[in-house]
Amino acid sequence: MADSVLTGVHSLRARLDETLTAHRNEILSFLSRIEGHGKGILQPHQLLAEFEALPEVNRKKLSDGPFGDILKSIQEAIVLPPWIAFAVRPRPGVWEHIRVNVSALVVEELLVPEYLHFKEELVDGGNQDCNGNFVLELDFEPFTASFLNRHLSAKMFHDKDSMQPLLDFLRTHQYKGKTMMLNDRIQNLDTLQFVLRKAEEYLSSQAPETPYPEFEHKFQEIGLERGWGDTAERVLEMIHLLLDLLEAPDPCTLEQFLGRIPMVFNVVILSPHGYFAQDNVLGYPDTGGQVVYILDQVRAMETEMLLRIKQQGLDITPKIIIVTRLLPDAVGTTCNQRIEKVYGTEHSIILRDVAKELATELQTKPDFIIGNYSDGNIVASLLAHKLGVTQCTIAHALEKTKYPESDIYWKKLEDKYHFSCQFTADLIAMNHTDFIITSTFQEIAGSKDTVGQYESHTGFTMPGLYRVVHGADMTIYFSYTEEKRRLKALHPEIEELLFSSMCTKDRNKPIIFSMARLDRVKNLTGLVEWYGKNTRLRELVNLVVVGGDRRKESKDLEEQSEMKKMHGLIETYKLNGQFRWISSQMDRVRNGELYRYIADTKGVFVQPAFYEAFGLTVIEAMTCGLPTFATCNGGPAEIIVHGKSGFHIDPYHGDKAAELLANFFEKCKADPTHWDKISKAGLKRIEEKYTWKIYSERLLTLAGVYGFWKYVSTLTAAQSVPLAVEE
């Protein structure tokens, strides 16, 4: 056998040089087309369009060589003739930057600051500072939760004496002055190990279901207090975990043990964004899926907290407080009420006007603070820093990802969007927080083809400001096949919604359904245009979209523009009789049955957004058994396995999306089992990956793990390392 030869990985510059040598004319033709756009930024779909415009023979030569891989990985091109700079992402989290002089065909590698400085010339011509300095340059880099746990565990678990911090942590445990876990009888590790062995021997002789109160006094005498469990079996499991840690410590056992320690009883959730209430708010400015998300999150968390407290053998009432704004002009909602109980809970409230009320409501400081959106996350950071408690942030959607070029051209958009404040708040929160919760890995690091929300913040510039160089509710949504749970009494009003302006002959067709805010990013008008242009699709199905409020004039300029566009599309493509545009629907219970009604027609749900951080409506639709076609940009790309549990669509290529839809409906017409197959696979995907029970269990476990490391490592909020956590 011949000896293996180890070869180095060629640099990006070397691979491009290789292409220039082998196919000089072809690459020059492509680069000239890009340069022809003039000064500006080109996105991947624009670069691909220019490449597709080349003669086929030229495309083949470039695609078959090393340039083919480069082209697939380019995320943006900066054109400043005669130079073109490329940001290339060969794999998630890894970036390279080069620039090419089209006149001289010279290739240069760029460091991140050099690339960003080149990009800044689009705005200021490179004259911001004659010395090349910048107002502020930030360098951030995150850890993952599992890495931090392994890293700190390795530092702590080198011998038995190193376990002293764990003993100290357990001895400090108390709630409102009541000692938990260990009392003063246990002063050192040897005593702890002796007591645990004694407790193990006693519990092994007891029936597993023996309640804790029957041996509580005996345990107090040897140094053990409440918090280990509510039965002999659960207490014994905890004691075995701790004995394992003392004798053969490892990170997995530590996480399991910490996840069962009683630590979180009072939670504050901050969401000052938009109109936060339980009824009649969806569709108002800055008010969408995050309201539904937080309310479902609270119900799931309270259920999990109550279960854990019971299983820990404690008699403590938990409390969850959602902190939001008090709005005197409540426009028919409850946003002007100071306190509002959360439906479906016993111990959770919405609290408005909190300047003096939070401490009164909790009667102690919170154990855990969760922020939501940019404004909620920055407030959570300030509050967690002041109180010294564990913090978690949930972005829902980072605006920089939703609005391409919003960083480089932030000054043009400042009056409307205030991106300077928003992006700065996001940066502070994501680097101050103890850990970050996302619903998909897409939000953290994207995929092979798309950039993650948080990944996009590792290198960007806001000229003149700073440069960063590194750094479903199952009670409402359930399957259409669960006939006994169906709300068929709502069908007459649902049919009125769907068909009041459609021709009767169309009612037997399947329905393409979509529901979102009426703004540019959600792209509802894009879906309508795809449908209008595709004759084959229009013959097969009807289209129904829910978005905006047609009953009144919008105060939002972007919504006004989209409404005008929608009316224009209806007229241009003569959609009356095939298309129904419904105003925003705020009744979630009826919306759940609406999804199921669409499923009855053997229809589909389409989420056509240019970018979607998570995709709550995607989860809702799939949970109801509705085959789903969703954007390939963002969270839905991970929620859906293309061709199995749904389909990915590219919002920048609407004609292809329309053809994919038409092909699906034609296949279902020929073989009705195909619709059932996708429906069932979507349901299975949600049940395995996206339930609130899984979410709340993981969230509370992480709160315990990070609370411990915060104590052990004296990681104050100012020193803490952010964690990116996939849920």
Side-chain angles (χ1 to χ4, degrees):
M1 183 182 289
D3 292 338
S4 297
V5 178
L6 213 58
T7 59
V9 178
H10 290 175
S11 69
L12 183 62
R13 176 181 174 180
R15 282 178 283 157
L16 193 53
D17 276 334
E18 184 181 334
T19 303
L20 285 170
T21 302
H23 306 293
R24 190 176 187 85
N25 290 325
E26 290 81 6
I27 194 69
L28 178 60
S29 175
F30 177 57
L31 293 174
S32 296
R33 293 188 68 89
I34 296 173
E35 186 186 23
H37 282 263
K39 179 179 176 181
I41 302 175
L42 272 67
Q43 299 298 328
H45 67 280
Q46 296 171 296
L47 296 173
L48 186 60
E50 292 300 337
F51 185 75
E52 293 292 332
L54 295 174
E56 184 178 352
V57 63
N58 289 7
R59 294 203 308 270
K60 182 168 175 55
K61 287 179 181 179
L62 294 176
S63 297
D64 292 345
F67 184 74
D69 292 332
I70 295 174
L71 179 63
K72 293 175 185 175
S73 303
I74 295 175
Q75 298 301 317
E76 69 176 11
I78 309 301
V79 183
L80 286 167
W83 291 96
I84 302 173
F86 296 104
V88 183
R89 179 179 176 266
R91 60 185 184 276
V94 176
W95 292 78
E96 298 180 63
H97 302 85
I98 55 170
R99 67 176 180 176
V100 184
N101 187 307
V102 180
S103 300
L105 290 183
V106 173
V107 182
E108 295 180 357
E109 287 185 312
L110 299 174
L111 299 174
V112 175
E114 293 171 334
Y115 175 79
L116 294 176
H117 183 63
F118 180 80
K119 190 174 181 179
E120 288 149 14
E121 293 184 31
L122 291 172
V123 176
D124 55 37
N127 296 319
Q128 184 175 323
D129 190 308
C130 61
N131 296 317
N133 295 324
F134 211 78
V135 176
L136 178 64
E137 191 166 277
L138 305 171
D139 190 341
F140 298 119
E141 187 168 6
F143 288 110
T144 64
S146 58
F147 173 84
L148 186 72
N149 195 38
R150 290 196 305 270
H151 173 70
L152 295 179
S153 296
K155 293 184 71 173
M156 190 177 85
F157 296 153
H158 54 81
D159 57 43
K160 181 179 176 181
D161 290 341
S162 65
M163 298 296 291
Q164 184 65 37
L166 180 58
L167 171 61
D168 295 340
F169 181 71
L170 294 174
R171 292 183 70 240
T172 61
H173 248 55
Q174 57 87 30
Y175 179 73
K176 293 186 177 180
K178 180 69 175 177
T179 302
M180 294 188 293
M181 302 301 290
L182 303 179
N183 60 38
D184 290 341
R185 294 176 185 272
I186 298 176
Q187 295 290 330
N188 55 59
L189 291 166
D190 288 334
T191 304
L192 174 61
Q193 197 163 17
F194 173 78
V195 166
L196 292 175
R197 286 296 181 199
K198 195 170 180 180
E200 179 189 33
E201 181 182 356
Y202 172 79
L203 291 170
S204 298
S205 66
Q206 302 299 304
E209 65 276 9
T210 304
Y212 185 86
E214 291 192 13
F215 51 87
E216 179 177 8
H217 183 67
K218 185 184 292 292
F219 270 35
Q220 279 183 326
E221 288 181 342
I222 61 174
L224 302 180
E225 296 287 342
R226 279 181 175 258
W228 295 88
D230 61 336
T231 65
E233 182 178 31
R234 286 203 178 91
V235 175
L236 187 57
E237 288 172 0
M238 279 288 280
I239 284 173
H240 282 158
L241 285 173
L242 186 49
L243 282 169
D244 288 345
L245 281 173
L246 293 173
E247 294 166 4
D250 73 90
C252 293
T253 304
L254 178 64
E255 180 173 323
Q256 191 177 357
F257 178 72
L258 293 174
R260 295 177 63 167
I261 292 178
M263 293 174 64
V264 179
F265 306 110
N266 295 297
V267 178
V268 170
I269 298 176
L270 289 142
S271 183
H273 192 79
Y275 289 73
F276 195 99
Q278 300 179 83
D279 297 307
N280 304 320
V281 293
L282 297 182
Y284 281 115
D286 296 325
T287 308
Q290 85 278 3
V291 175
V292 176
Y293 178 103
I294 293 167
L295 291 170
D296 286 347
Q297 173 198 52
V298 165
R299 295 184 189 101
M301 279 187 66
E302 182 183 288
T303 299
E304 180 66 18
M305 289 168 72
L306 286 167
L307 176 63
R308 289 188 177 213
I309 290 168
K310 175 187 176 299
Q311 292 179 344
Q312 288 156 352
L314 299 173
D315 184 20
I316 293 174
T317 300
K319 188 138 197 176
I320 301 176
I321 297 180
I322 303 170
V323 175
T324 188
R325 296 182 298 169
L326 183 73
L327 301 176
D329 182 12
V331 292
T333 73
T334 56
C335 292
N336 58 353
Q337 294 181 15
R338 192 181 71 83
I339 293 179
E340 181 181 351
K341 184 179 177 182
V342 176
Y343 303 153
T345 70
E346 294 296 326
H347 314 292
S348 301
I349 62 169
I350 300 168
L351 178 63
R352 305 178 179 96
D353 188 21
V354 299
K356 300 177 181 178
E357 305 296 337
L358 189 57
T360 303
E361 289 295 331
L362 286 177
Q363 298 180 338
T364 183
K365 74 176 184 178
D367 305 302
F368 188 30
I369 295 174
I370 303 173
N372 293 273
Y373 265 108
S374 302
D375 42 9
N377 284 330
I378 191 65
V379 174
S381 297
L382 296 169
L383 189 59
H385 178 77
K386 181 176 182 179
L387 299 177
V389 300
T390 303
Q391 175 196 355
C392 160
T393 64
I394 304 172
H396 297 283
L398 292 165
E399 298 299 298
K400 194 174 83 64
T401 320
K402 291 169 60 178
Y403 294 90
E405 304 173 16
S406 54
D407 49 359
I408 188 73
Y409 296 124
W410 68 274
K411 289 181 180 178
K412 293 181 181 179
L413 304 165
E414 186 69 2
D415 288 345
K416 182 176 181 180
Y417 292 111
H418 308 291
F419 282 141
S420 64
C421 294
Q422 190 162 359
F423 294 176
T424 304
D426 288 335
L427 272 177
I428 292 171
M430 71 176 66
N431 286 283
H432 176 279
T433 189
D434 294 312
F435 62 92
I436 297 165
I437 287 288
T438 69
S439 298
T440 64
F441 189 76
Q442 287 273 344
E443 294 170 62
I444 304 167
S447 67
K448 182 178 179 294
D449 301 315
T450 60
V451 179
Q453 284 194 77
Y454 287 94
E455 181 187 6
S456 74
H457 287 73
T458 59
F460 71 96
T461 179
M462 300 184 76
L465 194 59
Y466 54 74
R467 179 193 296 162
V468 179
V469 299
H470 196 127
D473 189 345
M474 299 304 173
T475 63
I476 293 176
Y477 303 104
F478 52 86
S479 174
Y480 76 102
T481 61
E482 296 187 46
E483 289 290 338
K484 291 183 179 179
R485 298 177 66 188
R486 294 288 299 268
L487 304 172
K488 293 192 175 181
L490 297 175
H491 284 199
E493 54 189 273
I494 288 174
E495 289 170 357
E496 175 68 18
L497 272 178
L498 294 176
F499 301 118
S500 62
S501 67
M502 280 188 176
C503 296
T504 305
K505 63 183 178 67
D506 288 327
R507 291 187 59 163
N508 292 326
K509 286 184 180 181
I511 293 173
I512 293 176
F513 178 59
S514 190
M515 180 162 54
R517 288 194 310 276
L518 191 61
D519 62 30
R520 186 185 66 81
V521 173
K522 294 297 185 183
N523 197 31
L524 284 179
T525 53
L527 172 61
V528 174
E529 188 168 11
W530 306 345
Y531 177 80
K533 287 181 175 179
N534 194 298
T535 304
R536 186 163 65 108
L537 187 60
R538 291 176 65 171
E539 289 174 353
L540 289 164
V541 294
N542 293 320
L543 173 64
V544 174
V545 300
V546 175
D549 191 344
R550 303 178 63 188
R551 297 161 294 190
K552 61 184 180 182
E553 185 177 348
S554 174
K555 297 179 181 178
D556 185 274
L557 294 178
E558 192 170 312
E559 186 175 74
Q560 288 176 16
S561 174
E562 290 297 298
M563 293 184 85
K564 183 178 179 181
K565 184 178 179 181
M566 188 76 83
H567 285 294
L569 290 169
I570 294 170
E571 180 64 28
T572 299
Y573 294 107
K574 311 300 181 189
L575 294 177
N576 287 327
Q578 294 178 303
F579 168 59
R580 180 79 166 117
W581 175 19
I582 303 170
S583 294
S584 296
Q585 299 298 300
M586 300 181 182
D587 186 336
R588 292 184 66 215
V589 173
R590 189 173 68 180
N591 286 348
E593 190 61 28
L594 176 57
Y595 282 120
R596 291 185 288 274
Y597 190 98
I598 302 295
D600 290 337
T601 76
K602 299 301 179 184
V604 302
F605 180 79
V606 177
Q607 212 281 20
F610 287 110
Y611 185 88
E612 182 64 46
F614 174 42
L616 188 62
T617 53
V618 171
I619 296 290
E620 291 171 352
M622 292 173 70
T623 302
C624 293
L626 200 53
T628 299
F629 293 67
T631 178
C632 61
N633 300 320
E638 183 176 331
I639 296 170
I640 292 170
V641 179
H642 182 67
K644 293 183 179 180
S645 55
F647 300 90
H648 301 153
I649 56 174
D650 186 343
Y652 293 103
H653 292 89
D655 54 342
K656 292 181 180 178
E659 283 298 305
L660 183 65
L661 282 158
N663 291 340
F664 173 81
F665 282 110
E666 282 195 341
K667 186 170 182 178
C668 292
K669 195 173 182 180
D671 177 13
T673 64
H674 182 61
W675 189 95
D676 295 330
K677 178 182 174 183
I678 300 298
S679 172
K680 289 175 182 176
L683 283 164
K684 184 178 179 184
R685 179 74 174 166
I686 297 304
E687 289 165 2
E688 291 176 348
K689 292 282 187 178
Y690 299 99
T691 70
W692 281 110
K693 180 171 175 56
I694 295 170
Y695 174 100
S696 56
E697 286 174 353
R698 185 64 177 148
L699 178 61
L700 291 173
T701 295
L702 285 170
V705 170
Y706 204 87
F708 170 68
W709 286 123
K710 198 178 187 77
Y711 171 85
V712 169
S713 307
T714 61
L715 294 176
T716 63
Q719 298 167 322
S720 62
V721 182
L723 308 180
V725 179
E726 177 198 1
E727 274 307 301

